[in-house]
């Protein structure tokens, strides 16, 4: 990569508000740029916000590979049957894992229904999600629903017999060398019933997040280990729906998808400017963390690849 462009990138971050906390770039398997700003450092655990959803998607793919799940077309009624004993909605009975992954389940989107945001006193988030009126037929509309992602975490716990965190540690974090030491600052919150929150709240270090992105850049393979099925990774990172709010780009299976400067790319996105952006044909992963402010997100996601990273590659 052109070192002059990378130097310009560093200056851009230092002088452009709102500032980033962290920027890390991996190219051809090597860290070529790593900067921490303000009080952040390499050992800092940072909140991924909705990037957590992409980790949940990875765990679904692993559960398929391990045989814990039969297919993506298994229904909520089959997997969470006790919640449907008094549920009359045929539409909800038709919701599948695939619908949850694609955000086309018809369940209420975040701005209309989220017990953690509106102070709901419900002790059962699953019942909260399933008993609220459905807004659309499954597959009819894209509606961004963290409740839907949370149901995926609940399903993982049910079918594997272990918490989502324990499952992640065994089959994803440990193989990647991702440090999930709670004493060092790692955390992942759970709902009132103890299910790890599938829509947000996971904290990881930037290098660990980069490992996760690099895993997807290599079709789910880490060294000689196929952690996630190749076909599942490819389906996850291709446009399954045109997407919409909040990122405004296409959507796969809990991954956003867009073409940037003629290059296919996909990214995990978290509220306020948390991104892990992968460019497979450039063998490049960009990790950025920012203050938890909405204005940060699209601003840096658009400019950093197009003005600095891609030109640095082409000019090398």
């Amino acid at each position: 990569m052109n070192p002059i462009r990378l130097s310009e990138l560093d200056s851009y971050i230092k002088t452009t508000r709102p500032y980033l906390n962290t920027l890390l770039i991996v190219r051809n398997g090597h860290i070529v740029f790593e900067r921490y700003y303000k009080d952040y450092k390499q050992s800092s655990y940072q909140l991924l916000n909705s990037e957590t959803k992409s980790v949940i998607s990875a765990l679904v793919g692993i559960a398929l590979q391990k045989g814990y799940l039969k297919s993506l077309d298994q229904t909520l009624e089959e997997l969470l049957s006790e919640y449907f004993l008094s549920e009359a909605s045929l539409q909800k009975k038709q919701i599948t894992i695939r619908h949850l992954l694609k955000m086309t389940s018809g369940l209420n989107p975040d701005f209309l229904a989220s017990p953690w945001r509106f102070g709901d006193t419900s002790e059962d988030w699953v019942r909260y999600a399933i008993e609220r009126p459905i807004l659309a037929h499954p597959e009819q509309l894209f509606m961004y629903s963290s409740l839907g992602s949370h149901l995926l975490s609940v399903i993982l716990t049910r079918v594997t017999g272990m918490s989502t965190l324990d499952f992640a540690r065994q089959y994803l974090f440990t193989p990647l060398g991702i440090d999930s030491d709670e004493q060092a600052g790692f955390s992942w919150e759970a709902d009132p019933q103890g299910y790890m929150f599938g829509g947000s709240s996971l904290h990881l270090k930037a290098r660990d997040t980069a490992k996760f992105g690099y895993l997807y850049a290599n079709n789910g393979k880490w060294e000689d280990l196929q952690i996630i099925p190749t076909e599942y990774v490819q389906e996850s990172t291709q446009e399954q729906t045109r997407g919409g709010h909040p990122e405004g780009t296409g959507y796969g299976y809990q991954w956003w998808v867009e073409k940037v400067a003629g290059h296919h790319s996909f990214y995990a996105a978290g509220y306020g400017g948390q991104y892990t952006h992968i460019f497979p044909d450039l063998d490049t992963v960009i990790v950025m963390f920012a203050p938890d402010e909405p204005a940060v997100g699209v601003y840096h996601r658009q400019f950093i690849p197009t003005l600095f990273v891609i030109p640095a590659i082409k000019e090398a």
Side-chain angles (χ1 to χ4, degrees):
M1 298 179 72
N2 185 338
I4 296 175
R5 284 283 189 178
L6 297 181
S7 178
E8 291 173 349
L9 173 56
D10 189 38
S11 299
Y12 164 83
I13 295 168
K14 290 177 178 177
T15 58
T16 302
R17 294 178 182 273
Y19 300 124
L20 287 174
N21 298 335
T22 302
L23 181 63
L24 187 153
I25 302 171
V26 175
R27 167 82 168 141
N28 294 332
H30 300 277
I31 295 176
V32 295
F33 187 96
E34 185 176 22
R35 299 288 188 278
Y36 298 90
Y37 304 93
K38 295 177 284 187
D39 297 326
Y40 292 87
K41 50 191 177 182
Q42 189 181 114
S43 60
S44 298
Y45 283 86
Q46 301 195 53
L47 176 62
L48 270 62
N49 285 327
S50 284
E51 282 197 80
T52 305
K53 295 177 172 69
S54 300
V55 175
I56 290 291
S57 177
L59 296 177
V60 170
I62 295 170
L64 277 170
Q65 179 174 255
K66 300 295 181 184
Y68 291 110
L69 290 170
K70 298 174 186 176
S71 80
L72 296 184
D73 297 315
Q74 288 181 265
T75 64
L76 288 188
E77 183 182 26
E78 174 188 351
L79 296 163
L80 303 172
S81 57
E82 72 271 30
Y83 289 96
F84 287 85
L85 296 177
S86 60
E87 172 58 56
S89 172
L90 178 61
Q91 294 172 346
K92 286 184 181 175
K93 292 180 179 181
Q94 295 171 341
I95 295 173
T96 65
I97 295 172
R98 195 185 307 273
H99 293 139
L100 296 175
L101 287 168
K102 292 166 58 177
M103 297 288 186
T104 58
S105 67
L107 294 176
N108 280 237
D110 286 4
F111 65 90
L112 289 180
S114 51
W116 57 91
R117 181 175 299 175
F118 297 117
D120 189 270
T121 57
S122 172
E123 291 296 311
D124 191 335
W125 289 8
V126 180
R127 189 169 301 282
Y128 179 94
I130 292 176
E131 291 187 351
R132 292 186 68 85
I134 195 168
L135 293 187
H137 293 279
E139 200 61 22
Q140 183 179 10
L141 294 173
F142 174 91
M143 292 189 292
Y144 191 78
S145 172
S146 293
L147 275 172
S149 300
H150 186 60
L151 292 181
L152 291 171
S153 178
V154 174
I155 289 168
L156 284 167
T157 298
R158 295 292 193 88
V159 299
T160 64
M162 62 184 87
S163 73
T164 303
L165 175 54
D166 287 342
F167 185 72
R169 280 175 169 153
Q170 182 169 342
Y171 293 112
L172 181 64
F173 293 167
T174 298
L176 293 181
I178 289 178
D179 186 0
S180 58
D181 183 358
E182 293 172 351
Q183 293 185 339
F186 171 88
S187 68
W188 192 350
E189 296 175 21
D191 74 5
Q193 289 194 308
Y195 295 112
M196 312 312 300
F197 186 23
S200 185
S201 87
L202 178 61
H203 291 71
L204 290 178
K205 291 182 286 190
R207 285 194 172 195
D208 291 336
T209 310
K211 289 177 181 179
F212 178 63
Y214 189 67
L215 174 68
Y216 267 77
N218 287 276
N219 286 313
K221 191 172 186 179
W222 184 261
E223 297 180 340
D224 295 326
L225 180 63
Q226 191 71 45
I227 295 177
I228 311 169
T230 299
E231 183 178 355
Y232 180 82
V233 170
Q234 292 174 349
E235 286 184 13
S236 299
T237 57
Q238 295 293 326
E239 186 174 297
Q240 300 291 336
T241 168
R242 295 181 65 181
H245 177 82
E247 289 292 316
T249 64
Y251 203 71
Y253 295 160
Q254 310 278 285
W255 287 89
W256 297 92
V257 182
E258 71 172 341
K259 185 165 284 190
V260 178
H263 298 275
H264 170 68
S265 74
F266 54 91
Y267 60 96
Y271 176 88
Q274 330 311 325
Y275 289 99
T276 302
H277 203 154
I278 295 99
F279 292 82
D281 68 325
L282 300 176
D283 201 355
T284 299
V285 177
I286 305 171
V287 173
M288 62 181 79
F289 288 99
D292 208 12
E293 302 171 3
V296 177
V298 174
Y299 186 77
H300 287 308
R301 176 177 65 76
Q302 291 178 341
F303 286 127
I304 287 176
T306 55
L307 297 183
F308 300 100
V309 178
I310 294 175
I313 293 170
K314 293 184 176 180
E315 295 168 5

